[in-house]
């Protein structure tokens, strides 16, 4: 049947699983209130069968949402002109993995990626409304790898190689462009910090990672702090290193990175009269130049050079004041 111009209508094609489109149901003069998920039950001498379907009630004069382009950290999406009341879908862009190390140590196999989609709803007034891109992988390879690292279980066996991997990734933190890069690194640093008591060497990696993250562009750090308190949480992890690493066998910690200096040691209250700390920062000499972003240098080389520059620019030492002098005289020295 052909609906008149003012009616609202729906036409349903049902399959009984034997002969495609063998049943047709036409509903006319229906109200918008019947929209939703419906189940149709067919009973015959051959048995019973049912089929669920979504009914979307549209006016014949329904408006359209205009074609639109959305670019975000999941890719570039070009939404077509869509009828009001319809949920539109677009396939996710396939993740093109390159040379970045994968958490499992092997190349990923994006199986089932074809089925993953983004969706966007065109409301009844012809305006784009809710949208969801969560099924799609991140467009940036670095962001994808960091996200995958947050999905694995971190233990004392894989914590050390993971710490090395994060130091390498964050050595390029000045080029981070996605706020999720900072948030994912924050999650990983917190999980590494929980293992410092069992793996003391993790403290060095955490300090280096935190130091590298200070190279991230200021606005991205601000967004990460605003969204997830990421900066505060990283600083708290550095502060926790001393509490977790200082033991009876390990009573002194001294770690200097390019942007962070950390010194901690145990003090006997009975002998404590004061504390003297000295921080020295020297400008780079004429022979010291910023780390080159040259393809002839490996990531390990750059990390080693960055550490060397950090050691030469920043020096931080503390010691307790003994009985031979007052705290004031010790500080003057």
């Amino acid at each position: 049947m052909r609906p008149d111009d003012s009616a609202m209508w729906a036409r349903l094609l049902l399959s009984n699983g034997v002969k495609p489109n063998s049943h047709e149901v036409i509903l006319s003069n229906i109200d918008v209130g019947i929209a939703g998920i419906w189940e149709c039950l067919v009973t015959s001498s051959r048995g019973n069968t049912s089929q669920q379907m979504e009914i979307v009630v549209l006016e014949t004069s329904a408006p359209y949402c205009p074609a639109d382009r959305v670019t975000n950290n999941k890719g570039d999406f070009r939404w077509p002109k869509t009828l009001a009341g319809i949920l539109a879908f677009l396939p996710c862009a396939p993740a093109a993995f390159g040379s970045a190390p994968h958490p499992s140590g092997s190349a990923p196999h994006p199986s089932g990626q074809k089925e993953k989609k983004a969706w966007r709803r065109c409301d009844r007034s012809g305006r784009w409304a809710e949208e969801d891109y969560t099924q799609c992988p991140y467009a940036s390879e670095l962001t994808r790898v960091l996200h995958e690292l947050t999905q694995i279980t971190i233990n004392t066996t894989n914590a050390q190689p993971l710490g090395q991997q994060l130091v390498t990734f964050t050595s390029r933190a000045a080029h981070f462009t996605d706020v999720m890069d900072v948030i994912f690194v924050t999650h990983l640093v917190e999980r590494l910090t929980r293992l410092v008591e069992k793996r003391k060497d993790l403290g060095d990696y955490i300090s280096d990672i935190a130091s590298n993250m200070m190279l991230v562009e200021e606005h991205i750090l601000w967004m990460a702090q605003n969204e997830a308190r990421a900066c505060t949480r990283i600083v708290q992890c550095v502060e926790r290193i001393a509490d977790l690493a200082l033991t009876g066998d390990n009573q002194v910690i001294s770690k200097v990175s390019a942007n962070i200096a950390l010194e901690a040691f145990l003090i006997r209250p009975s002998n404590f009269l004061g504390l003297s700390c000295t921080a020295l920062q020297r400008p780079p000499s004429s022979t010291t130049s910023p780390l080159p972003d040259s393809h002839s240098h490996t990531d390990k080389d750059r990390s080693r050079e960055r550490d060397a520059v950090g050691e030469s620019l920043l020096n931080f030492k503390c010691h307790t004041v003994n009985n031979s002098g007052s705290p004031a005289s010790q500080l003057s020295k």
Side-chain angles (χ1 to χ4, degrees):
M1 66 173 290
R2 180 181 179 85
D4 59 50
D5 290 340
S6 60
M8 290 187 289
W9 63 288
R11 182 174 181 176
L12 310 177
L13 296 177
L14 307 180
S15 171
N16 62 6
V18 177
K19 185 178 180 181
N21 299 333
S22 58
H23 298 286
E24 182 177 284
V25 177
I26 300 177
L27 307 176
S28 61
N29 297 322
I30 61 178
D31 186 79
V32 66
I34 78 161
I37 304 296
W38 286 72
E39 184 175 28
C40 188
L41 175 64
V42 177
T43 302
S44 69
S45 59
R46 298 164 58 185
N48 301 333
T49 185
S50 63
Q51 176 74 48
Q52 278 195 342
M53 71 210 77
E54 180 181 8
I55 295 181
V56 179
V57 181
L58 303 173
E59 297 185 29
T60 54
S61 59
Y64 286 80
C65 285
D68 190 25
R69 180 177 182 178
V70 174
T71 301
N72 55 33
N73 61 2
K74 297 300 185 72
D76 186 27
F77 299 86
R78 298 172 184 263
W79 296 99
K81 181 180 178 181
T82 303
L83 186 64
I86 295 296
L87 194 64
F89 293 87
L90 282 178
C92 298
F97 286 86
S99 58
H102 189 263
S104 65
S106 59
H109 300 282
S111 58
Q113 187 62 51
K114 294 181 180 179
E115 291 77 27
K116 295 184 177 181
K117 296 180 180 181
W119 61 261
R120 200 178 188 194
R121 185 181 299 279
C122 178
D123 66 20
R124 293 189 174 277
S125 63
R127 291 177 296 185
W128 290 112
E130 305 100 321
E131 57 187 6
D132 181 33
Y133 302 90
T134 55
Q135 288 191 20
C136 297
Y138 289 95
S140 164
E141 183 181 356
L142 172 64
T143 309
R144 287 197 303 271
V145 173
L146 288 173
H147 177 253
E148 290 181 5
L149 288 173
T150 64
Q151 306 305 303
I152 66 176
T153 300
I154 302 177
N155 51 45
T156 55
T157 301
N158 61 11
Q160 192 267 349
L162 175 62
Q164 287 182 326
Q165 195 173 23
L166 283 178
V167 171
T168 300
F169 285 166
T170 58
S171 67
R172 300 187 292 266
H175 303 291
F176 283 10
T177 58
D178 192 338
V179 65
M180 295 308 301
D181 295 339
V182 180
I183 293 175
F184 289 149
V185 169
T186 301
H187 286 308
L188 293 168
V189 168
E190 287 180 329
R191 292 163 68 182
L192 289 175
T193 302
R194 299 188 189 109
L195 297 174
V196 168
E197 195 170 9
K198 297 179 180 179
R199 290 292 305 264
K200 303 299 187 296
D201 56 335
L202 295 179
D204 291 342
Y205 296 120
I206 293 169
S207 179
D208 287 340
I209 294 166
S211 176
N212 289 340
M213 293 303 291
M214 294 176 69
L215 302 174
V216 177
E217 197 272 322
E218 183 177 345
H219 182 64
I220 296 177
L221 288 176
W222 178 86
M223 291 190 296
Q225 174 69 12
N226 189 54
E227 181 173 339
R229 297 181 65 252
C231 301
T232 298
R233 289 158 58 191
I234 290 178
V235 171
Q236 289 173 340
C237 288
V238 175
E239 293 174 343
R240 285 285 290 159
I241 292 175
D243 293 335
L244 296 173
L246 286 177
T247 63
D249 297 331
N250 187 20
Q251 300 189 15
V252 178
I253 297 175
S254 181
K255 175 61 182 172
V256 178
S257 300
N259 298 305
I260 293 178
L262 172 67
E263 176 121 346
F265 49 87
L266 294 175
I267 299 174
R268 295 182 181 276
S270 58
N271 297 333
F272 179 70
L273 296 176
L275 185 67
S276 173
C277 294
T278 304
L280 298 177
Q281 186 172 22
R282 295 181 297 172
S285 64
S286 58
T287 59
T288 304
S289 60
L291 290 179
D293 192 16
S294 168
H295 296 291
S296 63
H297 286 67
T298 65
D299 290 335
K300 184 180 295 185
D301 292 334
R302 293 196 188 101
S303 179
R304 189 182 303 113
E305 291 172 7
R306 186 183 299 277
D307 287 342
V309 171
E311 293 286 351
S312 64
L313 297 182
L314 187 62
N315 193 347
F316 182 71
K317 292 294 180 183
C318 291
H319 63 273
T320 56
V321 177
N322 56 37
N323 293 326
S324 61
S326 66
S329 64
Q330 293 287 335
L331 290 173
S332 66
K333 296 181 181 179

